[in-house]
Amino acid sequence: MALQHDDYLRLVKKLHALNADYYTKNESELVDADYDSLYQQLKAFEAQHPLLVSPDSPTQQVGAGPEEHFAHHVHHPKMLSLANAFNADDLARFLNRVNKDAQDAQGGQVHLSIEPKVDGCAVSIDYKNGTLAVAATRGNGHIGEIITDNIRTIVGLPHTIPVQHNVTVRGEVYIKKSVFNHMKSDFANARNAASGALRQLDANVTKDRQLDILIYGAAIGGHESHVDTIDWLKSMGFPVVDALKVPALLPPLQNAIGAIDHSRSERDYDIDGVVIKVDHEPLQLVMGATAKAPRWAVAYKFAEEEGVTTLEDVSFQVGRTGIITPVAQLAPVTLSGVTIKRATLHNSDEIKRLDIHIGDKVRLKRAGEVIPKIIGVAEPGDDRRSILVPNQCPSCMQASVVPVDSGVAIQCINPQCPAQIKARIRHFCSKNAMDIAGLGDAIIEQLLASKCIDTVADLYALRYEDLIALDRFADKSAQNLIDAIHASKTRPLSRLLIALGIPHIGDVSADLLAARFPSLDALLTAKEEDLLILDQVGPKMARAIMALQSSVHFKQLIDALLLNGVQPTTSRVQNQPLQGQTYAITGTLSQPRSAIQAMIKANGGRVVANVGKKTNGLIYGDSPGSKYAKALALKDKGTPIALLNESEFMALLNESSQ
Ligand code: IVH
């Protein structure tokens, strides 16, 4: 139905409100696809009635304005948005325009760069004289908010680069899917959580959220070819998007889009499409931009494909901690080119919320997630059956099932449950843990069934003769597995901590504990107060470690691992003067801040963005900021925080190294 002028004005208001929510409150009332559809209606009206276009229309602006409490940063050049393409026709129109402008400008074959469109928050980062100087959010594209301290918490983003000319890089800050999934958060998705974390006033909070970044270009200081710019940024240590150079023709472009679409589930970050850019940067300049978006680039959004299929059954899967998760068994259906037969139902609350029954036709969505989601009932089945939560474990068949999480979830508490044992072994061998290649599900099952192993410790007692006697092994595969197991004996202590699946210990805390304790034994005999003194160890993690120390079962497992030759390596360097200490920096120093930060780190300390009760010292230079006043106030109240000027700090390092 065609829009009337009144409808149009209402739509302008509605989109404004949604924009404001999206950019400033990290939430969106509508999902992206719905927003896009309203936006398209608005654009269609404006195309038909150019004289009625309201100056307030979101088509005339980029995003909403920055919030008040951060200092502002003016973007040079402006951070533009991207025009969208939804289908092959849109792509063909874009290609025609590019090829025509290229003909007019220079002639010859044009190339494009095809990149994933990372679903996070855009930031711009200036490097001056090789040092990270200012980072800002996109804001309204013209003015953003300065969030330099928060950006500095991103592990893997270089603080210094080996070039002296000014470089401005632009990229997308995101939270890894694996991190977001383990995060207790009120945010609807990882992008909102990342946006919230970026705008924290306390950089320590940002740091806890473990942000990541992928750089997708240099606004200042790049090369002639965009793909060369990306390679150059990569060579300087920037995490960059993978940019593929293809000729500006539809078939190779569609192939590249298809390949990125298929890689979605393998990436540990959400992508919602691809970005297609003219590779030749001088041609980008010739093509120019509208007020809102460049003419030389386009975003091709993947469809959030929805489908309907029958819920045939619900099975219950036991994980390594014994938590039992309902899994929907579906009549096979293809969404975005992937055949789907299963979907997680999370827990009994989710089943109630969706009010689904076996036999129903259910609506299914596959967006960025690895696992497709059931989003509701499409049509109740004729003989619909309730989903019964089991009161015995589907794997060990024992009545060992107890409610947890206030009754929302159930857990099998039998430590000998075969499903848990299998899942624990699978986790132990996984890439992020002991990284033992070649130990897939089928082999683990076979090793357990043939009684070659009972626990992960038994893996290290396996011999070539044991494996070759089994069905699945030939000479080479048996030897490869023995070698892989052997190689894992000396994995770093942090990997072993992850492999053991200790509650509340993830990647970051495993690294922290491994850096602070000289050996596994030291960690397993540490007192609760030794643990709590560490900045990032909270009461939950300390309690989990205490519980392990008193577990006979865990002690037996560790003894068996050590007896069978597992010797985790530790990265802890002895006698570091600042070991375990945290320092903040404020004011102008005689050397770049990054140099002082590097010294703190090299001496075993950690740099924090703000001072707090646990901070050991503040290193201050000329015109110190608010951190100085805060540190003085803390000191006055009896907090043992050291205030050091630069030479006192250097003296401290020198003294300790003598
Ligand atoms: S280039 C002027 N490349 O998508 C062109 N943007 O919808 C600037 N984005 O604001 C953008 N991945 O935050 C570019 N590989 C990529 C990207 C990307 C994600 C974001 C970016 C931009 C938004 C536009």
Side-chain angles (χ1 to χ4, degrees):
M1 205 178 63
L3 284 190
Q4 300 300 314
H5 189 211
D6 276 353
D7 300 330
Y8 165 75
L9 292 176
R10 265 195 294 278
L11 201 50
V12 167
K13 267 199 177 151
K14 167 126 191 136
L15 286 170
H16 260 304
L18 290 172
N19 255 339
D21 280 350
Y22 188 97
Y23 286 108
T24 59
K25 294 196 208 140
N26 318 315
E27 60 189 32
S28 178
E29 189 186 323
L30 294 183
V31 292
D32 278 359
D34 298 334
Y35 179 89
D36 281 338
S37 129
L38 292 181
Y39 194 76
Q40 295 306 325
Q41 287 177 37
L42 181 98
K43 272 189 29 182
F45 179 91
E46 291 181 346
Q48 278 173 8
H49 310 281
L51 294 178
L52 294 181
V53 173
S54 155
D56 279 350
S57 164
T59 58
Q60 309 300 302
Q61 299 154 13
V62 183
E67 281 189 275
E68 287 311 317
H69 46 252
F70 285 96
H72 291 177
H73 174 78
V74 179
H75 293 301
H76 292 296
K78 246 170 103 166
M79 289 185 83
L80 294 174
S81 192
L82 288 169
N84 284 325
F86 293 101
N87 49 41
D89 285 351
D90 294 346
L91 289 179
R93 261 193 296 279
F94 172 71
L95 286 178
N96 280 342
R97 196 167 66 223
V98 169
N99 284 312
K100 184 176 169 304
D101 285 2
Q103 277 302 321
D104 295 348
Q106 52 167 41
Q109 171 78 72
V110 190
H111 284 91
L112 302 171
S113 168
I114 319 292
E115 303 159 17
K117 184 168 186 305
V118 184
D119 194 9
C121 310
V123 293
S124 181
I125 312 172
D126 293 347
Y127 287 78
K128 301 226 161 77
N129 298 323
T131 302
L132 193 165
V134 181
T137 62
R138 183 177 113 173
N140 61 12
H142 174 52
I143 297 172
E145 298 158 342
I146 298 185
I147 43 148
T148 318
D149 283 346
N150 294 351
I151 284 292
R152 286 205 179 102
T153 67
I154 300 178
V155 181
L157 178 73
H159 289 196
T160 56
I161 52 174
V163 283
Q164 288 309 306
H165 62 267
N166 291 349
V167 176
T168 296
V169 296
R170 302 239 162 117
E172 201 79 354
V173 169
Y174 67 97
I175 294 181
K176 284 199 181 102
K177 290 184 204 170
S178 53
V179 171
F180 181 71
N181 290 340
H182 286 106
M183 209 158 115
K184 282 243 175 302
S185 126
D186 296 331
F187 290 109
N189 56 42
R191 183 195 48 218
N192 291 358
S195 165
L198 261 189
R199 298 229 223 74
Q200 287 297 326
L201 291 171
D202 178 354
N204 284 317
V205 178
T206 310
K207 184 166 186 169
D208 284 347
R209 306 272 172 90
Q210 301 174 49
L211 294 174
D212 270 283
I213 192 166
L214 280 168
I215 301 297
Y216 54 66
I220 298 177
H223 288 226
E224 263 215 341
S225 145
H226 173 72
V227 174
D228 287 352
T229 300
I230 296 288
D231 286 345
W232 173 67
L233 292 170
K234 189 172 178 187
S235 74
M236 290 194 294
F238 284 101
V240 292
V241 290
D242 34 324
L244 186 70
K245 193 161 161 174
V246 300
L249 301 167
L250 199 53
L253 178 58
Q254 284 178 314
N255 277 343
I257 293 175
I260 295 182
D261 193 3
H262 274 102
S263 72
R264 278 172 98 177
S265 59
E266 284 144 35
R267 295 176 193 266
D268 202 1
Y269 50 89
D270 285 326
I271 64 175
D272 56 349
V274 298
V275 181
I276 304 157
K277 302 173 185 170
V278 166
D279 181 61
H280 195 54
E281 298 202 355
L283 179 58
Q284 293 181 358
L285 286 178
V286 172
M287 291 186 74
T290 65
K292 217 173 129 57
R295 288 199 179 83
W296 46 265
V298 74
Y300 181 84
K301 293 265 195 85
F302 296 138
E304 284 204 353
E305 217 183 307
E306 282 191 25
V308 172
T309 188
T310 307
L311 176 64
E312 293 186 329
D313 204 354
V314 172
S315 61
F316 288 84
Q317 194 176 302
V318 189
R320 89 186 141 80
T321 60
I323 296 285
I324 303 176
T325 314
V327 180
Q329 306 294 330
L330 304 162
V333 58
T334 306
L335 290 188
S336 322
V338 176
T339 305
I340 291 159
K341 295 186 205 146
R342 287 148 53 92
T344 175
L345 282 167
H346 302 291
N347 53 42
S348 52
D349 258 14
E350 176 86 344
I351 295 174
K352 261 191 234 140
R353 190 180 68 79
L354 296 168
D355 190 30
I356 49 170
H357 292 67
I358 296 166
D360 286 351
K361 289 233 181 307
V362 290
R363 286 196 299 128
L364 195 68
K365 180 156 108 177
R366 177 178 171 259
E369 304 96 31
V370 183
I371 310 162
K373 250 189 178 164
I374 293 184
I375 51 173
V377 176
E379 193 188 315
D382 288 340
D383 309 311
R384 64 198 312 237
R385 279 188 291 130
S386 295
I387 298 163
L388 297 179
V389 175
N391 49 19
Q392 74 177 41
C393 171
S395 170
C396 63
M397 305 307 262
Q398 295 202 16
S400 50
V401 171
V402 296
V404 286
D405 257 356
S406 329
V408 169
I410 50 172
Q411 185 177 22
C412 166
I413 50 164
N414 168 16
Q416 298 311 320
C417 168
Q420 286 183 51
I421 292 176
K422 202 174 100 185
R424 283 201 291 267
I425 297 175
R426 198 192 305 127
H427 171 78
F428 186 89
C429 304
S430 62
K431 203 148 183 53
N432 205 20
M434 296 300 260
D435 191 12
I436 305 177
L439 258 179
D441 263 8
I443 305 233
I444 294 174
E445 255 165 48
Q446 200 184 16
L447 292 173
L448 286 166
S450 57
K451 299 263 172 264
C452 284
I453 61 168
D454 278 329
T455 68
V456 289
D458 300 331
L459 289 170
Y460 295 97
L462 281 175
R463 294 161 313 149
Y464 171 85
E465 295 75 40
D466 300 325
L467 297 183
I468 201 76
L470 300 174
D471 276 357
R472 286 177 187 272
F473 287 95
D475 174 48
K476 201 162 166 16
S477 53
Q479 193 54 50
N480 284 349
L481 183 54
I482 294 290
D483 292 347
I485 293 172
H486 182 75
S488 77
K489 284 182 179 170
T490 50
R491 292 271 183 263
L493 176 58
S494 57
R495 302 297 95 185
L496 179 61
L497 294 177
I498 290 171
L500 292 169
I502 306 169
H504 308 293
I505 296 190
D507 280 7
V508 176
S509 33
D511 281 345
L512 171 90
L513 291 171
R516 294 293 185 270
F517 289 91
S519 65
L520 182 60
D521 193 48
L523 173 64
L524 294 179
T525 51
K527 301 211 176 61
E528 192 163 358
E529 55 266 32
D530 298 338
L531 292 163
L532 283 171
I533 214 164
L534 301 175
D535 232 16
Q536 289 169 16
V537 174
K540 270 192 186 164
M541 199 197 292
R543 266 201 300 276
I545 296 170
M546 289 295 112
L548 286 180
Q549 290 182 357
S550 52
S551 154
V552 179
H553 181 73
F554 187 75
K555 199 165 173 325
Q556 278 169 352
L557 177 67
I558 296 293
D559 286 348
L561 282 168
L562 299 181
L563 194 72
N564 287 346
V566 174
Q567 265 189 331
T569 47
T570 48
S571 51
R572 185 175 185 257
V573 187
Q574 300 284 339
N575 296 329
Q576 287 192 302
L578 307 185
Q579 188 66 49
Q581 301 191 14
T582 51
Y583 283 82
I585 309 171
T586 184
T588 313
L589 298 144
S590 74
Q591 41 195 327
R593 208 172 255 214
S594 56
I596 305 276
Q597 288 171 337
M599 273 185 246
I600 297 173
K601 283 189 197 156
N603 284 286
R606 204 160 63 78
V607 184
V608 289
N610 280 314
V611 287
K613 280 194 191 130
K614 287 186 181 173
T615 317
N616 296 88
L618 175 72
I619 301 154
Y620 64 91
D622 291 342
S623 331
S626 60
K627 285 179 224 173
Y628 186 77
K630 191 164 171 202
L632 272 181
L634 283 169
K635 207 174 161 64
D636 277 353
K637 283 193 200 136
T639 307
I641 181 167
L643 273 89
L644 305 165
N645 65 25
E646 193 174 338
S647 46
E648 284 164 345
F649 171 66
M650 300 307 283
L652 173 76
L653 293 187
N654 287 336
E655 256 168 46
S656 333
S657 61
Q658 275 157 20

